[in-house]
Amino acid sequence: MPRSRSAVRYAVAAALAAALGLAGCESLPGAGGTPAAMAPLIQDVHSFARPNEARVRHVALDLAADFERRVLSGTATLDVQARPDAREIVLDTRDLEIVSVRTEAGPAEWRLGEAAEHLGRPLHVAIGPRTRQVIVEYETSPDAAALQWLTPEQTAGGRHPYLFSQGQAILTRTWVPTQDSPGIRQTYEARIVVPEPLKAVMSAEMLTPEGEPAAGGRAFRFRLENPVPPYLMAIAVGDLAFQALGPRSGVWTEPSMLAASANEFADLERMIDAAEALYGPYRWGRYDLLVLPPSFPFGGMENPRLTFATPTIIAGDRSLVSLVAHELAHSWSGNLVTNATWDDFWINEGFTTYFENRIMEALYGAERALMLQSLGWRDLQATLAETDAADTRLRLDLAGRDPDEGMSDVAYEKGAAFLRHIEQTVGRERFDAWLRSYFDRHAFQPMTTEGLLADLRASLVQGDAALEAALQLEAWIHQPGLPAVARAPESPAFARVDEAARAYAEGAGPVAVPWGQWTTQERQHFLGALPRQLSAERLATLDTAFGLSTNGNSEVLFAWLMLAVENRYQPAVPALERFLLGQGRRKFVLPLFQALWAQGDWGRPIATSLYARARPGYHSVTTNSVDRVVGWSAG
Ligand code: BES
Ligand code: ZN
């Protein structure tokens, strides 16, 4: 007699628990109101922590921001949980000045270990069987990689300085001495003193929206009761104002940016509703956006309760809001169920890219969603063509490397294509039911690639051999490139744009395309679909007809500038300079410098002199990448 379904399910569930590294249900955090036992965690090659011996459960920061010296200084009080025989706890630090370390019982023995490339230095602190707290008194470096200290000139208002942090992937250790691994979840609270009249915001509940008087300025207090990986701890300080968008959503930014930001993100509350209707309750209370100054190195960063976003998505027509759908989706994929290590990064970004597109479809329809999928697919093809095969697998091996190196379109777009393949194979209804239960069952826990595979087999495949064969799970995850079963998204709208691009490139005379009726996505696709080599006449005709060099949409301008640089089109160089001096988003800055560099005797002198001017305004995330392209060395 064949094994019953439930028996199969039981056996697979046991295998799943083993793959996840869970000892059993009683060890899950917070189960039954008892103190959480130490669920075993796998070792992360990008952290010095040994969490199976001693781990940080809660971080309490008491810090002051000094804009003259460009340092944060104060204390981090860490609640520790340790095995009875643990003799030390190991923390991650990088470029921190450690002043003193004590426990609740008094001064502690401590030492900083050897520095390791990319990782910083371990901080070893001696503990005893009764140690509950470790208190680190410290100061950050003015060059802390996570922090960018902006002069007033680098802000929209021009009158006050600004500070923001970027923790992902392994930068939190440059401003908080804790165990900086995505598997080691911690709750946090903070008290931050900033000079008048600045405000502090964090990825946490604001306990003192107006701040309170404190020596040297005003103090702002925060608390996050959901445990999060340390890369999600985030802070920004500046001249900030707030506008509500819905009952649980709103936008923070500099006062002069507030009206435009509120208008751009008017659909935010509906996005949250759509996300919840798809995959279950939003578990973080509020969802606010912070629109940063233009040097913010990413499009967006999913800091809990407060997504950080680049101002380059404020197009005036809400055409680039898929980025908000993306960061919102991380409230489930990433912030709730978190990649256990950076080798599993695709579990954050692939799921989020899929989910983002479902939110976009729910709000704006299937046609728009398909266009966005198609743009992603084209980026993926380009990435696959230029990336070492080993790094085109979903599950990566980043040992000894900066995790940043693994963070390509592969995780995002191959990951999303994989999930679309599962959806199309099992049907949307069944797929959605599985995904929703996946978020519920693994909420507030790390997820490995093997754990995900085990879950898919236990909860979705359930022993169906034909389904297993159709899904090609192992090929998608462990083989380079795309498996034969992968299907390109087909957008009928883009098929018409492709035809228009071909006709324009091959023809002569004026440009006859319905540019004015096209969406931003169709315009982006058109510019990307043109042959990479075009005559100066064809480029000039386009530029004049559509005002490309003065286009206010950052994605359209970027697509145009790439094409212009690839053709050494001199008339676009002033626009290129304005764009590269005006914002520091790595996704735009890096490819443009790479394209300039590839243009040898024409592009390299432009790149060199422009980079010298632009570099002081960029965040370290961006300079780290571009320095290597243009051979920048200090001095
Ligand atoms: N979490 C990422 C940003 C990130 C990735 C920071 C890796 C550090 C290391 C964020 O959710 C993201 O993916 N942002 C994208 C935008 C998105 C719409 C693809 C970006 O910044 O371009
Ligand atoms: Zn993301």
Side-chain angles (χ1 to χ4, degrees), residues 166 168-169 297-302 322-323 326-327 330 345 349 356 404 407 412 585-587:
Q166 166 57 43
Q168 200 181 8
F298 291 104
M301 178 64 213
E302 65 272 24
S322 62
L323 184 136
H326 178 97
E327 305 311 335
H330 272 306
F345 180 61
E349 298 300 343
E356 160 198 348
D404 231 37
M407 297 180 172
Y412 291 77
R585 184 174 170 189
R586 182 171 67 178
K587 175 188 144 174

Side-chain angles (χ1 to χ4, degrees), residues 397-416:
D397 179 5
L398 296 170
R401 291 197 279 164
D402 185 335
D404 231 37
E405 284 183 40
M407 297 180 172
S408 78
D409 284 328
V410 171
Y412 291 77
E413 297 297 340
K414 180 179 173 182

Side-chain angles (χ1 to χ4, degrees), residues 55-318:
R55 71 180 66 162
V56 175
R57 304 303 301 238
H58 178 77
V59 178
L61 298 174
D62 190 351
L63 297 174
D66 182 336
F67 282 85
E68 262 84 65
R69 293 175 57 228
R70 300 190 155 193
V71 298
L72 292 173
S73 64
T75 57
T77 300
L78 312 174
D79 291 359
V80 306
Q81 183 186 22
R83 266 188 1 213
D85 59 341
R87 290 289 159 268
E88 66 170 16
I89 183 164
V90 186
L91 310 175
D92 293 297
T93 78
R94 190 180 141 198
D95 298 334
L96 293 181
E97 178 77 30
I98 307 296
V99 180
S100 71
V101 183
R102 57 201 157 87
T103 70
E104 78 275 19
E109 265 179 55
W110 62 275
R111 71 185 169 86
L112 280 170
E114 287 295 306
E117 180 146 41
H118 314 302
L119 304 185
R121 300 174 72 179
L123 173 57
H124 301 262
V125 181
I127 57 171
R130 277 180 302 279
T131 305
R132 291 290 166 266
Q133 281 190 332
V134 168
I135 302 123
V136 184
E137 189 187 347
Y138 71 104
E139 195 167 284
T140 62
S141 157
D143 301 317
L147 303 179
Q148 194 179 11
W149 300 83
L150 300 177
T151 62
E153 298 72 45
Q154 290 173 288
T155 68
R159 297 224 317 268
H160 300 286
Y162 200 105
L163 163 69
F164 68 86
S165 69
Q166 166 57 43
Q168 200 181 8
I170 54 171
L171 304 181
T172 292
R173 63 192 69 179
T174 70
W175 73 284
V176 182
T178 190
Q179 293 182 316
D180 189 12
S181 169
I184 311 177
R185 305 185 80 92
Q186 299 150 43
T187 51
Y188 86 87
E189 68 190 289
R191 178 178 175 272
I192 310 287
V193 177
V194 306
E196 301 269 12
L198 305 184
K199 278 199 163 78
V201 292
M202 294 188 86
S203 53
E205 185 187 347
M206 276 190 120
L207 301 176
T208 54
E210 296 310 315
E212 44 196 29
R218 287 187 91 67
F220 292 82
R221 288 186 290 111
F222 305 88
R223 174 180 64 199
L224 186 65
E225 282 173 345
N226 292 333
V228 293
Y231 74 85
L232 293 175
M233 298 177 71
I235 183 170
V237 179
D239 179 18
L240 297 174
F242 175 78
Q243 185 167 325
L245 295 169
R248 54 178 164 171
S249 59
V251 59
W252 286 95
T253 190
E254 290 184 67
S256 68
M257 298 285 291
L258 192 57
S261 301
N263 178 59
E264 203 75 23
F265 307 123
D267 287 341
L268 184 54
E269 191 78 29
R270 282 177 56 219
M271 281 191 176
I272 306 172
D273 294 342
E276 288 191 309
L278 281 163
Y279 299 126
Y282 177 75
R283 290 165 159 93
W284 305 87
R286 293 195 57 82
Y287 182 84
D288 294 325
L289 292 170
L290 172 69
V291 178
L292 284 114
S295 67
F296 186 61
F298 291 104
M301 178 64 213
E302 65 272 24
N303 297 315
R305 297 175 60 99
L306 184 65
T307 279
F308 284 23
T310 169
T312 63
I313 54 167
I314 299 188
D317 59 4
R318 305 179 186 166

Side-chain angles (χ1 to χ4, degrees), residues 357-375:
N357 200 256
R358 294 293 303 276
I359 297 172
M360 292 304 287
E361 181 185 321
L363 261 79
Y364 308 108
E367 192 179 20
R368 170 104 170 253
L370 212 45
M371 287 192 227
L372 290 164
Q373 280 179 32
S374 187
L375 288 171

